[in-house]
Every structure is written in structure tokens, then in C-alpha cells.
Amino acid sequence: MVHAFLIHTLSGSGQATGDATFCRVLYSQVFGSERLPDEPGPRGPERDRLLRKEQLLAVARQAETACKLLQQASGRPPTDLLPQSSDEPIPLQDAPSGVFRLRPGDPFQEAKVVVWLRLLSLGCALVCEPHENLLLAESTLRLLTRLLLEHLKLLSSGSNVLLRGDRIEAILNHFLPQGQLLFLNDQFVQALEKELSTSLAR
Amino acid sequence: MGLRVFRLVSGRGGRVFKPATGCSPRERRASSAKRGAGLGIAPREIQDQELKKFCLRITGLLQKEDLGNETIDCLQRLFLIVSATKYYRKLEKKFVELLLSAMYFPKSPEQVQVLCAAILREISPSEDLTLFYDHIQNTKLLSLMSSVLLAQGNKRDEVRDVGLRVTKILESRQPEGQSLRYLLPVLSKVITLSPKVLKEDQINLLNKRLIDWLRYASIQQGVAQISGGFFSNPRARQPGPITEVDGAVATDFFTVLSVGQHYTEDQWLNMQAFSMLRKWLLYSGNDGTETPDSDDKSELEGSIMSMVSATSTSSRLLPPKERLRENAFEYCQRLIEQSNRRALKKPDCELQKACLVEAVIILDLLCRQDSSFMYRTLSCLKTLHGRLCGDLAYVQALLPVAQFFLNHSEAAAVDSEAVYQHLFTNIPSELFYNSMLAFEFIQFCRDNIHFFNGNLSIFKSSFPNLFKFLAWNSASLISEFVDILPVFIDASTAIEMLHVLLDLPCLTAALDLYLRSSFPTAEKPLWDPSLKPTSCLDGFRDPYHQALFQYLLRPKAKGFIKGLAPLHELLKPMAGCARVIQCAETVPILIQLFFTVVTEFADGTLINQLAVLLLGRSGLLFDVPQFKAAVHREMSSQLLVLCKLHPSLVVELSKELLEFTGTIRNIHSKENIFTHVVWAIGEYLSVLYDRRCTVELINKFFETLEALLFEITQFRPSATLPKCCPRVITVLMTTLTKLASRSQDLIPRVSLFLSKMRSFAQSPAMTSVYSEEDTETILTRATELMNLLKMPSVAQFVLTPSVEVSNPRYHLDTNTSLPLALQMASRLVEKEASLLSW
């Protein structure tokens, strides 16, 4: 079961302008809110929401660090990851990815495992339950990323991820319903893609 | 206005909803006046007032039942506004209700429904949200609404409500034209969020449905057009049988690895059911009352059932829970068989791997819940293990297989040594660069520490192999590794372990060379392609270095061999490699952890060995930038810890310490360690700590240190030699004074020496090297020490305090508590003053 999915920016990808230096969550969906501890004191919905947002930002920051370290270790310059030209297909199979664990209480109540993937200047991450099938999680993340690329034109100039929330939601509803990782063989994927296109075309 | 809203919500399926009272005409005018204004506003800058106006505009659109592009555009923007900030965006209660109505509204396009749900989820938890959904039959909409409800934080038992509603639909006859497949993920989420939602009879019913979906899905392909659900007549067109991933006609029941052009409803449900099977088995196996990982109770119950369920023909007679397990077992066995087929498409090949892992995990779970599965599973997994050993593509499945044997081999009385042997010996050496595998491998180790702490010697002795994972993936694994490192450390491994830790960056470089020489023509090199270490590669292959490399890359602990120094020299060109540097950065952390663990059990002999090792290795480190300095810092503080724990080491290792301090080179190359060693000598070389500490020994140390100090102060200050830090000089002076206070014949010598310091400090050679401040420090210390030595008994008391004095019990002693009280009082006053001045 996946707890959350997020798309965030990755700094240090060559853009030195103000905004790019901070890690930002562009889109996130939490599948069912986590059980919260019964701590005394007032805690309104506003605080719960703030906590949820901060948790996701913490995940994004860690994913960003992990990504940076991996790229450093590979010895390739960061410019390598910038798009050569917008028409060139991005080899998703080679997109750097990784996995790390979040200890209980930091930032989520229970331990989680994060699977992340770098797509040039964007990062996508799945926050999973601790003993999730990681092979499945990774391939699902790659599948989601491919669909995002196709349906949102994620990286081409002029595309506004921020205003395409409904498309992202539709993709997730089909391929990660309620955060459930699905064992989809290629025919199932094709059938779902057809359904997705129909619902997006309307 | 109110009527309009009512019309909006009271269409088909909407009759139960309370009509939202619309907004006033005045508000509407305001909203239409502002039309267009809201669209250009960036979400971060938007003010509450503007948000209100924007909402009014959307209200107008929705009330007009305008569900076209403009509404969608506005909703998209609203979603961005509420989601882009971490602070709460207050939406009016009426507006929230309107969004809900739009979601329910049967004519709403899916896009609008999805957007409304997303907005409602983003503002959750929200107290204004009341959803009525008891009469909703549209399963897709129900799924959307569940996502909103489950995001509310379960304050009003929403999870339970959703769970019951979904279960009810799943239990009853399928609503016409609706697919149940949207509901299974909701159920899965509900049991994740709240373990006690369902009752026994509901669980039983769902068990039965799952059996049908898992085991009895159609083995004919679906038809192209979706023609009304489950009971439509697919035979009319004869779409052909389902095939396997390799294209052969399916030989048995449908699974997620079965391929068809189109899928029928029950085939979709089969896929959904398997996707949630593990979760469900855990949940239902524990009757929803226990935490998922405790299965002790079910094992007992399993043994009673074992005779009955031994054959699957009798399984029809079993209660649903046992029957589901039986079917799950068969499903997993079929997946294991199917994963052996050669998939025609690459994505299916990936899925085979994931399915194999899942199947093995479920089999393990079944055996934990019901031991009657054990023998059948055992033979199946033994065969599988044989298959996996020959095929690295499926390597990830080896971990759950090993987990199965760890869990059950004792109960089943089978020898599974070969499984562990293969896992710990071959896998890390060959696949250390696979970061996902590395992560899972270390997780596996961590989860099973309790097993390994027992008598699994293979695990402990494999630590050099497991360190390969860390050496290559240090940045991502370090935090995992600190959890398992303590398990490896005992008296027999400590020495070799410390060497391994110190050689870790060297290991990274060696692994890099190993990859370069093993896959020279790899298309996507795993190493840094900008680095071309030709000389290193030649060295990696030549027979002179080969033995050393073999030792460095050993899979098992085999004691320590001296002389990795030639490798440090050879690997020098790789010291700047980013991966090596990353690895080097983790070493001080690991050393610190190592000593925290080792000092808990180490005896005098081991402590001495470790101290000697630290002194020896301080000069034998791989030359990675900043690595030496960081490790030296850690070594120095650990040396002091060792001395404190076992002060006799100063006496017992006098030969080594004399040799170390007698070497003037050490002052410059290992200044930190040198200073700490000299300090430790002054502190612990005393008859107080060890009766074997003779006057002769003190004199010997004294003479060595005196000669050294003489050399650096009287001869050395020249431009050709680097200056030594004033701290070294003051520590040396202090130690000499301490030693003199214990062997009082030496006092005149020290006093004379100290008195000469003034002339030394004012010599032109010194003033050119040391700043005024440094000189001042040295002279002040010299004067203090000289003054102390004028009263030898005081000097002894101050410089070698007895244990009672150094472990003060002032709080018990009324006579000496006065100074303490005074000191405390003055500190408090100071603190107060400083607080006030803030």
C-alpha cells in the first residue's frame, strides 16, 4: 500500500535562479490520512494539515539529497541530466532512481520506505509501507512517470504541471487507486491506458 | 438561486442530498463583476478576500450547471490555490457543499468530479464536510468519495463508515452496470488504516468473494466492447482463450500473469484481488484484532487443521478462511510456475519478478498462519531456490526465500545452510552495485537480527562481504548499516572489523576496479567514466597485487593480514573519485559506533590490541582528501576512551607508546593523536592506576618526552620545518611536569627546562613562526607549571589527584561543600546577569 505520491522540484540541476534552489512539492496526494497519536493539547484541522504538508516536504527534501548524492557518486556532471532537446525521448529506463527508509516518527508516525525517481529537474516519489514489494513499487513509479510525461508534457516548455492537477489525479486513480499497487501485466496497462485516454478526452 | 442549486443536486442519484442554500444576488453580481480577475493571480500571492471572490465566481458557474471548460479551468486553479500552500485555505461551508453537489451530480464530467474530490481532499481535514453516500450505487464515484473521507483523519470514524459501505456493496448483488473493481482498493486502504473495522461474518463473506475472484475467473478473453458487466454473455463471440506470457494457451486458471486482448470483469477483479491478497491474509488471519506480525496463535490452530487440508480435494469442506488460504497457496504456486516462462514483452518480464517475490512472501505468510502448508511449500521453494541460484535476473526473490527458511527451517527440521551460504557469499560479491538489492538485503539483515544473534555464524562471518554493499552505496545505506553493525562485533571479530572499517574507502576503489575489469565493454558503465585509472587497472591484474586485492575483496572474515600499504599507493589515482570520498565520509561515524559497542564488553587484552591497532593504523590510511584528518580526530578521542576504561594500558603498552611518542615525525603527521597520547601518558602513568608503574618507567617516558620537547623548541624552529602547534608544546610541558611530580628527582630538571622557555620564546627563530598570542600561551603555561612545582606536595595533589578527589563527593562533605556552593552561586548570578542583559 502506498501512503503518498509526490512530484517535486530538484535543485542543482543547472538552474541557478532563485526558485530552483529550494525544493518544492509541486503535487502531492496522500492516500488516507495516517493515524495520529493521541497527544494532549489542542490540535485543529489546520495543524493536521500543516503537519501533512511538512511531512511531504521532508520526504521531498530527503529524496532530493539522495538524488544529489547518487548523481555525485556516478561521477557525471549535473548538466548531463538536462534535456538535450525537448523532442528527444527521455530514456525512462535509465532515469536515476533509488530507495530509502524513513524511521518511525521521522516524519511519519510509522516507518515508511520511499522509492524515488529523477526526471531531469523533477522528482517523483512513492511513500510506501515498510514491507512493500519494492520491485512492484519501482515499476509502478516508472509507469506513472511515463504516463505523466505523456499526458502532461511534463518537461516540455510551456507545460504547467501545477494547473494539470486533474490529469495527475486521473492517472493516479487508474494506476494507483487509493494507493494500491497493482500487479498489471502489459495488457492490463494497455487497457487502463485506453480508459484513461477516454476519461481525459471528455 | 436556491432552486438552482437544488436542481443541481437533485438529479438522478442526488435526491438524498440537502440542497445547498445559494448565495445572495448581491454576491453573484460581485462575482460576475470580478470575472476574469481571479484567473491571473498566482496562487502564492492570493489573499483571502480574492479567494472568496474567486470562489463566488465558481459558485456562479456551478449554479448555472455550466460544467464546461471555463469551470474546469477555474477548478484547476482553485485546486492549485488550496494545494500550493501548507497553510489552511478556508473555504466557505456553503461552497464546500456546492463542490460536493457537483461531485455527486450525475451529469458532471469525470474531470469535474475528480477536481472537486481533489479540492475537498486538499482542504481536509475539514469540519464542514458531511458526505451522504448510503444510496450511491456508482462505484467509481464511491471510490472518489472514499478518498475524500479517508483523508479526514478518522475523527468521526469515517474509515469505519467507508469500510462498512464498501463491504455492503461487495457482499450484495452487483449493481447493474457497475464494476466492483473500483472498490477493492478502497477496502484494502480501509483495513490498512483501521484494523478493527470488519466483523467476523463480513470477513468470511469477503473471503468467499476473494476465492471466487482468485480461483475462478474466466479463462476466456473478454470482448472488445464493455458490454454490461459480469453476467453478459461472452460466449456468443468466442473471443478465444487466455494465454500465458510466452504466448502459449493457458494451461490452468487465470492469474495476473495471464494475457488476453481484453479482460472480463472477473479477470479485472482477479488482478485486484491478488494485488491486495497479502494485506488481506494478514488482516483476516489475525481476525482483525492483533497486530499484523504476531502469528503465534494461528500456528497452533494450523496444526489441528493440517490433516484436513493436506489435500486440496477436501478443501471445499473447509471454512472460508482456510479455503482462501488454500486458494492463495495454489495461486502462488501457479505464479511460481508462470514466472519460469519466457515473457514476450519486457514489462511482463519485470512483472514476473515482482510476482515471484510476492508469491514467496505470501507462501511464507501462509506457513506462518497455518503450518500444514509447510511441507508442500518447502519442496516447492527448494526447487525454486535451485532455479534462482542459476539465474541472477530473479535475485530479489532470493531474500524472501531465505526469509522463509529462516522462519521455518527449524520447525520443519531441514538444513538450510546452503541457502544462507549462497545468499551471503555470492550475492554481495556479485551484485553490490544494485542499489535496490543492497537496500533490501540490508533491510533483510536488520529484520532478522534476532535470528543472527543466535547461532547463525554464517551471517557474522560474512561481514566483509556485506560491507561491499556499504562501500558502493554508502550514501544511501549508512543509516541502515548503523542498525546492523553492532551485531557483527564481538571479541573474535573486533580487530578485523576495525581494519575493515579503516579500509572501507580502499574497498570502494577496489570494487570500482573489479567492475571495470569484469565488464570492460558495458554500455552503461556503473563507474565514473571521466576517471581513467589505467595504472590501477594494471595493478589490479598483476600477480603482485592480486593477493592483496583478493584479501580486500574477501567474502568472509579471515583474520587480518599486514601490509595493505602497497594498495594505498597503487589506488592513489582513485582517491579523488566521488564515490570513494562519499564512502570515506561514513568511516568516522562507523568507527565511533564500533567503539561504543566494543567498549561494552572489551577486556584489558582486547583494549590493548585495539590501542596498538589505532596507533599503527594512524599512519596507514588511504589518502582520500580530509579522510585522514577526520579519522585521526575520531581515533584520538577513542584512544582516550580506551585509556580511561583501562588505564593500565599505558604501562602495558609502554614500549609501543615510547616508540610512538619518540618519533618526531608523528608530531606533524598525526598531531591530534600525538597530543592525545602525550596527555594520556601524563594522566595515567601513575602508580595510582597501576602498581606496576615504577620510577624507572616514569623516568623513561620523561626522558623521551624531554628529548622531544628539547628538539622541537631548541633546534627546530626553522623555516624548513613546519611549525608545531603551541598546543603540542603546552601538553608536552604539562605531561613532563606531571611525571616530575610523581618522581620528584626530576623536578629540578623540569624547572630548569621551563625557565628556559622564556628565552626560547623570545628567540628570533620563534618569533618569526609563532604569533604573539601563541607565545603568550606557551609562556603562561610554563610559568604556572613552574610555580606549581615550587611546592611539590601541592603539585602532586593538583597534577595527580587521588580518585576521591577526581570523583568529587562534595555534596556529601560539609567541609568542602563551601567552595562548591560559592562557585554555584557565582555562576547563577552570572547567568542571571547574562539573561537580564539579553
Side-chain angles (χ1 to χ4, degrees):
Chain A
M1 210 82 214
V2 174
H3 176 68
F5 168 78
L6 54 151
I7 305 176
H8 57 93
T9 60
L10 286 170
S11 62
S13 52
Q15 304 164 356
T17 46
D19 269 10
T21 52
F22 295 104
C23 180
R24 255 185 195 171
V25 178
L26 296 182
Y27 171 87
S28 66
Q29 180 170 351
V30 179
F31 303 98
S33 75
E34 200 186 31
R35 258 173 290 167
L36 294 167
D38 300 318
E39 49 183 56
R43 207 187 53 214
E46 294 189 26
R47 236 194 98 194
D48 286 351
R49 189 176 178 284
L50 183 64
L51 177 68
R52 203 175 64 208
K53 287 275 173 189
E54 292 285 7
Q55 285 172 334
L56 293 173
L57 188 60
V59 173
R61 275 197 225 106
Q62 282 205 42
E64 188 192 23
T65 311
C67 182
K68 245 184 222 166
L69 287 167
L70 184 76
Q71 186 240 315
Q72 227 175 53
S74 75
R76 290 175 184 83
T79 46
D80 233 29
L81 296 156
L82 280 175
Q84 310 300 322
S85 89
S86 54
D87 303 329
E88 209 169 292
I90 293 120
L92 257 182
Q93 225 44 38
D94 301 339
S97 70
V99 53
F100 59 87
R101 193 169 71 102
L102 298 169
R103 285 166 191 270
D106 182 25
F108 297 102
Q109 200 61 32
E110 282 155 24
K112 301 271 187 258
V113 169
V114 178
V115 184
W116 59 266
L117 182 120
R118 172 175 196 162
L119 205 60
L120 309 174
S121 57
L122 290 183
C124 295
L126 288 177
V127 183
C128 307
E129 303 292 325
H131 287 95
E132 197 49 84
N133 188 327
L134 286 182
L135 281 177
L136 184 64
E138 203 203 355
S139 63
T140 307
L141 184 60
R142 282 188 198 278
L143 174 65
L144 291 173
T145 321
R146 174 172 71 77
L147 293 164
L148 289 171
L149 272 178
E150 281 174 22
H151 292 279
L152 274 81
K153 309 271 176 294
L154 209 52
L155 297 160
S156 61
S157 57
S159 114
N160 200 343
V161 187
L162 296 170
L163 285 175
R164 301 272 185 104
D166 55 326
R167 291 191 165 229
I168 308 177
E169 296 269 329
I171 291 171
L172 292 178
N173 287 348
H174 280 87
F175 290 87
L176 193 63
Q178 314 282 343
Q180 173 76 59
L181 291 170
L182 298 175
F183 287 84
L184 298 170
N185 66 38
D186 197 47
Q187 281 301 128
F188 273 119
V189 172
Q190 286 184 24
L192 279 178
E193 277 195 64
K194 246 179 231 164
E195 280 187 29
L196 176 69
S197 309
T198 328
S199 78
L200 289 181
R202 245 184 262 156
Chain B
M1 181 59 62
L3 262 178
R4 261 189 185 286
V5 182
F6 188 76
R7 222 153 52 79
L8 184 70
V9 297
S10 64
R12 264 183 299 137
R15 61 189 180 282
V16 291
F17 313 125
K18 272 169 64 182
T21 43
C23 45
S24 70
R26 193 160 49 94
E27 278 171 311
R28 191 170 59 135
R29 270 198 302 279
S31 105
S32 53
K34 266 284 176 189
R35 177 162 302 170
L39 284 173
I41 298 170
R44 272 159 212 286
E45 296 153 14
I46 210 156
Q47 301 298 314
D48 277 349
Q49 205 52 38
E50 284 163 303
L51 177 61
K52 251 187 194 160
K53 282 176 192 162
F54 190 51
C55 289
L56 278 178
R57 187 176 158 211
I58 297 174
T59 308
L61 286 168
L62 289 179
Q63 283 172 347
K64 276 195 293 178
E65 289 184 28
D66 177 353
L67 300 169
N69 286 340
E70 194 184 349
T71 312
I72 288 172
D73 191 59
C74 286
L75 287 174
Q76 278 173 336
R77 274 162 209 278
L78 182 62
F79 173 67
L80 176 58
I81 292 166
V82 291
S83 67
T85 168
K86 62 184 178 184
Y87 300 107
Y88 189 61
R89 283 296 202 180
K90 176 81 183 154
L91 297 183
E92 296 286 325
K93 192 172 182 197
K94 282 178 203 161
F95 185 68
V96 170
E97 281 168 4
L98 191 65
L99 287 177
L100 267 177
S101 312
M103 199 165 97
Y104 294 138
F105 188 47
K107 277 193 214 152
S108 289
E110 203 173 316
Q111 220 176 346
V112 171
Q113 290 181 325
V114 164
L115 273 169
C116 289
I119 294 166
L120 292 172
R121 218 187 42 238
E122 268 302 325
I123 57 164
S124 67
S126 156
E127 312 207 317
D128 299 335
L129 201 69
T130 324
L131 270 76
F132 302 96
Y133 53 96
D134 284 349
H135 296 269
I136 290 191
Q137 299 289 318
N138 182 339
T139 49
K140 232 181 191 177
L141 179 58
L142 199 61
S143 163
L144 260 186
M145 289 172 59
S146 306
S147 74
V148 178
L149 277 169
L150 295 178
Q152 301 301 319
N154 207 14
K155 293 238 166 52
R156 283 179 277 174
D157 238 356
E158 290 94 347
V159 177
R160 187 192 166 75
D161 293 348
V162 172
L164 294 182
R165 177 74 192 132
V166 168
T167 316
K168 209 168 168 192
I169 299 186
L170 287 174
E171 284 169 355
S172 57
R173 249 193 80 215
Q174 196 168 350
E176 190 67 24
Q178 297 295 326
S179 171
L180 294 182
R181 71 179 157 110
Y182 303 110
L183 298 185
L184 284 188
V186 181
L187 179 66
S188 181
K189 191 85 229 182
V190 165
I191 59 175
T192 311
L193 291 175
S194 177
K196 290 177 192 167
V197 169
L198 303 179
K199 295 199 187 71
E200 188 66 31
D201 53 331
Q202 289 169 321
I203 294 180
N204 270 337
L205 249 156
L206 288 170
N207 276 335
K208 284 185 199 158
R209 303 299 310 255
L210 283 169
I211 294 169
D212 285 342
W213 295 324
L214 281 175
R215 194 61 176 73
Y216 304 104
S218 161
I219 51 166
Q220 294 293 312
Q221 298 189 19
V223 285
Q225 274 86 35
I226 302 162
S227 56
F230 197 53
F231 294 107
S232 63
N233 190 3
R235 276 191 212 115
R237 291 205 209 164
Q238 286 299 337
I242 286 291
T243 63
E244 303 284 351
V245 281
D246 57 359
V249 171
T251 49
D252 209 338
F253 58 92
F254 185 91
T255 70
V256 291
L257 287 175
S258 301
V259 181
Q261 279 297 312
H262 300 282
Y263 289 115
T264 59
E265 168 73 9
D266 56 354
Q267 287 164 351
W268 279 102
L269 284 164
N270 180 291
M271 180 274 290
Q272 295 271 14
F274 177 68
S275 299
M276 66 174 288
L277 182 60
R278 173 159 42 131
K279 181 122 248 163
W280 178 261
L281 285 172
L282 263 172
Y283 175 78
S284 62
N286 296 311
D287 300 328
T289 49
E290 288 166 55
T291 50
D293 281 318
S294 61
D295 299 305
D296 300 342
K297 202 183 117 203
S298 41
E299 245 170 61
L300 244 177
E301 137 202 348
S303 58
I304 305 164
M305 295 305 303
S306 61
M307 291 306 290
V308 192
S309 65
T311 56
S312 57
T313 41
S314 60
S315 68
R316 279 279 172 192
L317 308 168
L318 293 170
K321 191 206 276 184
E322 275 72 27
R323 225 149 42 84
L324 177 64
R325 284 180 187 160
E326 191 64 42
N327 282 299
F329 179 81
E330 286 170 13
Y331 199 104
C332 291
Q333 275 200 315
R334 174 140 164 78
L335 282 182
I336 291 176
E337 181 265 316
Q338 283 178 305
S339 66
N340 204 13
R341 290 173 181 269
R342 216 183 166 75
L344 296 176
K345 292 177 180 170
K346 194 160 178 282
D348 288 345
C349 186
E350 297 296 312
L351 182 69
Q352 280 179 308
K353 292 175 194 167
C355 283
L356 190 59
V357 168
E358 191 74 9
V360 177
I361 295 176
I362 291 179
L363 286 178
D364 178 36
L365 173 65
L366 289 173
C367 289
R368 279 191 286 149
Q369 292 187 331
D370 181 346
S371 56
S372 68
F373 288 109
M374 186 95 81
Y375 295 98
R376 286 185 281 165
T377 312
L378 205 58
S379 65
C380 164
L381 289 191
K382 267 192 174 160
T383 323
L384 176 66
H385 185 256
R387 195 183 113 196
L388 294 178
C389 285
D391 190 358
L392 283 182
Y394 286 90
V395 66
Q396 243 110 350
L398 278 173
L399 291 171
V401 170
Q403 184 70 59
F404 171 83
F405 282 105
L406 274 176
N407 289 343
H408 304 290
S409 63
E410 203 175 327
V414 288
D415 182 22
S416 39
E417 197 64 21
V419 177
Y420 313 136
Q421 189 78 32
H422 174 258
L423 185 71
F424 285 112
T425 316
N426 300 29
I427 304 306
S429 319
E430 288 166 36
L431 293 167
F432 58 86
Y433 53 84
N434 180 337
S435 63
M436 187 70 95
L437 176 72
F439 177 81
E440 288 201 273
F441 206 112
I442 301 303
Q443 286 249 84
F444 167 80
C445 294
R446 207 195 46 230
D447 291 345
N448 293 296
I449 276 182
H450 54 286
F451 282 115
F452 300 138
N453 253 338
N455 45 12
L456 261 176
S457 59
I458 172 89
F459 174 68
K460 273 196 179 173
S461 64
S462 304
F463 72 83
N465 226 7
L466 293 176
F467 269 101
K468 290 177 189 167
F469 283 131
L470 180 67
W472 193 258
N473 310 287
S474 46
S476 59
L477 283 190
I478 176 72
S479 64
E480 305 300 308
F481 225 85
V482 293
D483 287 345
I484 62 165
L485 184 67
V487 186
F488 297 123
I489 304 169
D490 62 26
S492 64
T493 57
I495 296 294
E496 187 176 353
M497 171 72 78
L498 188 52
H499 279 295
V500 169
L501 291 177
L502 291 167
D503 287 327
L504 212 54
C506 227
L507 178 60
T508 311
L511 290 172
D512 187 307
L513 292 178
Y514 166 82
L515 286 178
R516 281 173 203 261
S517 65
S518 309
F519 313 99
T521 52
E523 225 175 83
K524 287 175 272 172
L526 297 151
W527 53 85
D528 180 352
S530 61
L531 200 71
K532 303 247 180 305
T534 325
S535 61
C536 302
L537 263 175
D538 293 343
F540 187 71
R541 296 191 193 105
D542 79 34
Y544 171 67
H545 291 107
Q546 220 161 37
L548 290 179
F549 274 114
Q550 263 168 17
Y551 173 76
L552 195 60
L553 296 169
R554 67 198 180 278
K556 285 209 173 75
K558 55 157 96 167
F560 169 65
I561 60 159
K562 275 195 176 143
L564 280 181
L567 283 193
H568 296 154
E569 200 48 46
L570 175 74
L571 294 172
K572 219 169 187 172
M574 304 192 68
C577 170
R579 200 178 285 277
V580 174
I581 295 176
Q582 275 187 7
C583 175
E585 281 165 0
T586 65
V587 173
I589 304 164
L590 293 170
I591 293 181
Q592 194 180 12
L593 176 63
F594 170 84
F595 277 100
T596 316
V597 177
V598 89
T599 46
E600 270 169 28
F601 65 81
D603 58 2
T605 327
L606 181 58
I607 289 181
N608 285 352
Q609 285 176 328
L610 289 170
V612 173
L613 195 162
L614 286 181
L615 291 180
R617 284 303 306 262
S618 60
L620 283 174
L621 291 171
F622 192 25
D623 196 11
V624 179
Q626 273 131 50
F627 175 59
K628 254 185 196 169
V631 171
H632 279 176
R633 257 198 310 278
E634 200 50 52
M635 282 178 156
S636 317
S637 50
Q638 296 308 336
L639 265 173
L640 286 194
V641 171
L642 294 181
C643 288
K644 196 171 178 190
L645 211 63
H646 181 60
S648 299
L649 86 76
V650 183
V651 176
E652 286 162 5
L653 300 180
S654 55
K655 196 169 143 269
E656 287 82 359
L657 291 176
L658 278 168
E659 201 176 304
F660 183 83
T661 46
T663 315
I664 196 156
R665 265 201 330 274
N666 287 343
I667 299 181
H668 298 294
S669 60
K670 306 161 195 169
E671 187 190 295
N672 217 327
I673 300 184
F674 182 85
T675 322
H676 280 76
V677 167
V678 171
W679 185 85
I681 292 170
E683 193 66 15
Y684 297 107
L685 189 68
S686 156
V687 76
L688 269 179
Y689 293 105
D690 196 315
R691 299 207 158 274
R692 291 169 293 176
C693 176
T694 55
V695 175
E696 287 77 34
L697 192 62
I698 294 181
N699 287 351
K700 222 176 189 175
F701 270 102
F702 183 87
E703 273 159 23
T704 311
L705 297 178
E706 186 192 36
L708 198 73
L709 183 60
F710 186 77
E711 196 164 348
I712 55 176
T713 54
Q714 311 295 316
F715 292 140
R716 290 289 164 167
S718 73
T720 52
L721 276 162
K723 75 162 186 175
C724 71
C725 166
R727 189 169 72 137
V728 176
I729 298 174
T730 55
V731 169
L732 270 169
M733 289 192 306
T734 313
T735 298
L736 284 174
T737 315
K738 280 180 181 172
L739 295 182
S741 74
R742 284 166 216 163
S743 168
Q744 303 200 344
D745 294 346
L746 300 171
I747 292 181
R749 265 165 81 175
V750 184
S751 298
L752 185 66
F753 198 107
L754 292 172
S755 63
K756 280 185 190 162
M757 287 308 280
R758 182 163 295 279
S759 58
F760 149 70
Q762 282 157 356
S763 71
M766 278 296 287
T767 47
S768 66
V769 181
Y770 291 100
S771 70
E772 205 168 302
E773 202 181 338
D774 290 346
T775 319
E776 188 63 35
T777 315
I778 296 171
L779 286 180
T780 315
R781 176 58 64 89
T783 320
E784 280 169 4
L785 293 171
M786 257 185 337
N787 289 343
L788 256 182
L789 283 175
K790 280 177 191 154
M791 294 172 283
S793 56
V794 175
Q796 192 174 13
F797 180 78
V798 172
L799 296 171
T800 319
S802 62
V803 181
E804 299 94 77
V805 179
S806 48
N807 295 324
R809 294 183 301 147
Y810 293 137
H811 59 291
L812 297 177
D813 193 337
T814 37
N815 291 329
T816 47
S817 67
L818 185 62
L820 189 73
L822 278 174
Q823 204 180 1
M824 183 72 82
S826 74
R827 276 206 192 148
L828 282 174
V829 170
E830 275 169 29
K831 205 171 183 185
E832 194 96 313
S834 65
L835 275 178
L836 284 174
S837 66
W838 267 76

